[in-house]
Amino acid sequence: MKIETKCIQSGYTPQNGESRVLPITQSTTFKYESTEQMGRLFDLEENGYFYTRLANPTNDAVAAKIADLEGGVAGMLTSSGQAACFYSIFNICQAGEHFICSSTVYGGTFNLFGVTMKKLGIDVTFVDPDASEEELAAAFKENTKAMFGETIANPALVVLDIEKWAKVAHAHHVPLIIDNTFATPINCRPIEWGADIVVHSTTKYMDGHATVVGGAIIDSGNFDWEAAGKYPCLTTPDESYHGVVYTKQFGNTAYIMKATAQVMRDLGSIPSPHNSFLLNLGLETLFLRMERHCQNAQAVAEFLSGHDKIEWVKYCGLPGDKYYELAQKYLPKGSCGVISFGVKGGRAAAVRFMDSLKLAAIVTHVADARTSVLHPASHTHRQMNDEELAAAGVTPDLIRFSVGIENVQDIIEDIDQALQNA
């Protein structure tokens, strides 16, 4: 099936007489006739449902749909994108170990990796996403277990050279984890470029309507954990689960099975089945919405780039953009609906501009049907110092503008009138 068909059809196939629409299995637990069968489920020897923190039919159907959209073999939903980012690393990295991350990742992810996870004893090195292969290789340590980056950085809009990062990761026998939130699998499928694990904040374009917070982790099934020789957590007995060896018992789905059976079991950031149901409704229109978001954003970016009150514009769909060529390679159908720009007059002018908008709303959220705006230095990235802001590609005047699917002329007129007040 083509990807737009998968948005509708994947994950759930009703049988004769069953609900045409994905049902909400709003139950914490599931009944069985025998103690023996329940025991087999707890031993991971049989597939089935016994407690929603580990698995739920509604959640599993939506995870399977996202896995299919990304071209992966299995997926797991989480209660937020932050949980997905955390679990993706924590599943294979423990105290005393290290991973490498692009310095331009979303501010919340930067703080999670650079502050909170360091408290757990997991170290990170932030690197320039545009670093050469030699510079990336120099960041590796003997205990490095993964590389992490974003397809399109939020809000710096850096386009990552996924193929280059994958080449370096695999040369050092570690997986590449890519946050594909902004591009979505409609515009980029990182697994096809060498990524091993893909994560999402499904709160953004996948839901698309600012109704449910959620996340997803997708396993490509391509990374050979045994050959890498670095992951005893997957290749040796897990004593907390009756000595199961994930790679032996689950093959190329070992990573996701461990994330579910061990990490989710212990930390429990599972989405409610009702939230997964709402996410599925968003996924059904994802292809249509992404097309419109990109069309509108391209028009807005072109308008801004020609406006005399705009200092600079970042949008990889503009021919003069630093990442235009990479976008043509990885994002030929369009990137996303988010634009970064600076208003002449600096931070004060940026604030006046934002406060003058009428259609676009000042909200923390980004990437849904409604046009919204944010000042990252004051909001999402306010925990960072000036040096960290610069490394993340966030200047004091940067405005993150998330173009919605309204009539594009209405959006442009709103921007224009607000610029008159800036």
Side-chain angles (χ1 to χ4, degrees), residues 187-371:
N187 289 338
C188 182
R189 305 214 309 171
I191 291 170
E192 295 177 353
W193 297 100
D196 302 289
I197 309 296
V198 175
V199 298
H200 283 274
S201 170
T202 60
T203 317
K204 310 305 190 297
Y205 287 120
M206 284 188 165
D207 164 39
H209 301 86
T211 55
V212 290
V213 175
I217 306 174
I218 305 302
D219 186 355
S220 71
N222 295 333
F223 193 81
D224 192 333
W225 304 101
E226 292 190 340
K230 293 185 174 188
Y231 302 94
C233 60
L234 288 163
T235 61
T236 61
D238 178 0
E239 298 307 329
S240 77
Y241 233 119
H242 313 294
V244 64
V245 178
Y246 294 102
T247 51
K248 299 296 185 188
Q249 190 156 335
F250 302 108
N252 70 344
T253 62
Y255 175 92
I256 282 293
M257 288 305 300
K258 178 182 178 295
T260 303
Q262 187 191 83
V263 182
M264 186 63 80
R265 175 199 64 190
D266 293 345
L267 299 180
S269 300
I270 200 74
S272 77
H274 186 258
N275 277 12
S276 296
F277 172 82
L278 293 175
L279 169 58
N280 187 59
L281 293 181
L283 288 168
E284 290 182 350
T285 61
L286 180 63
F287 184 88
L288 297 172
R289 288 184 289 103
M290 287 307 294
E291 190 173 48
R292 179 61 174 258
H293 278 296
C294 292
Q295 288 174 353
N296 280 1
Q298 185 69 31
V300 170
E302 290 172 1
F303 168 77
L304 289 169
S305 64
H307 202 288
D308 61 3
K309 294 196 175 185
I310 296 297
E311 190 71 49
W312 55 269
V313 181
K314 286 184 181 178
Y315 188 69
C316 62
L318 295 174
D321 187 86
K322 178 180 179 180
Y323 297 99
Y324 180 78
E325 294 302 326
L326 275 180
Q328 295 305 298
K329 175 179 177 178
Y330 294 114
L331 305 154
K333 294 185 293 186
S335 57
C336 65
V338 181
I339 302 168
S340 291
F341 61 92
V343 178
K344 289 181 179 177
R347 188 170 190 150
V351 170
R352 286 195 299 271
F353 165 77
M354 290 173 59
D355 289 347
S356 299
L357 290 164
K358 297 177 181 178
L359 182 151
I362 301 173
V363 296
T364 305
H365 196 48
V366 67
D368 72 59
R370 304 164 190 83
T371 296

Side-chain angles (χ1 to χ4, degrees), residues 25 27-30 32 41 44 47-61 75-77 241 257 260-261 264-265 270-271 273:
T25 306
S27 178
T28 62
T29 192
F30 302 83
Y32 289 91
L41 292 170
L44 305 179
N47 290 326
Y49 300 98
F50 54 93
Y51 199 56
T52 282
R53 186 173 79 241
L54 289 169
N56 174 280
T58 307
N59 293 352
D60 282 1
M76 181 181 82
L77 298 187
Y241 233 119
M257 288 305 300
T260 303
M264 186 63 80
R265 175 199 64 190
I270 200 74

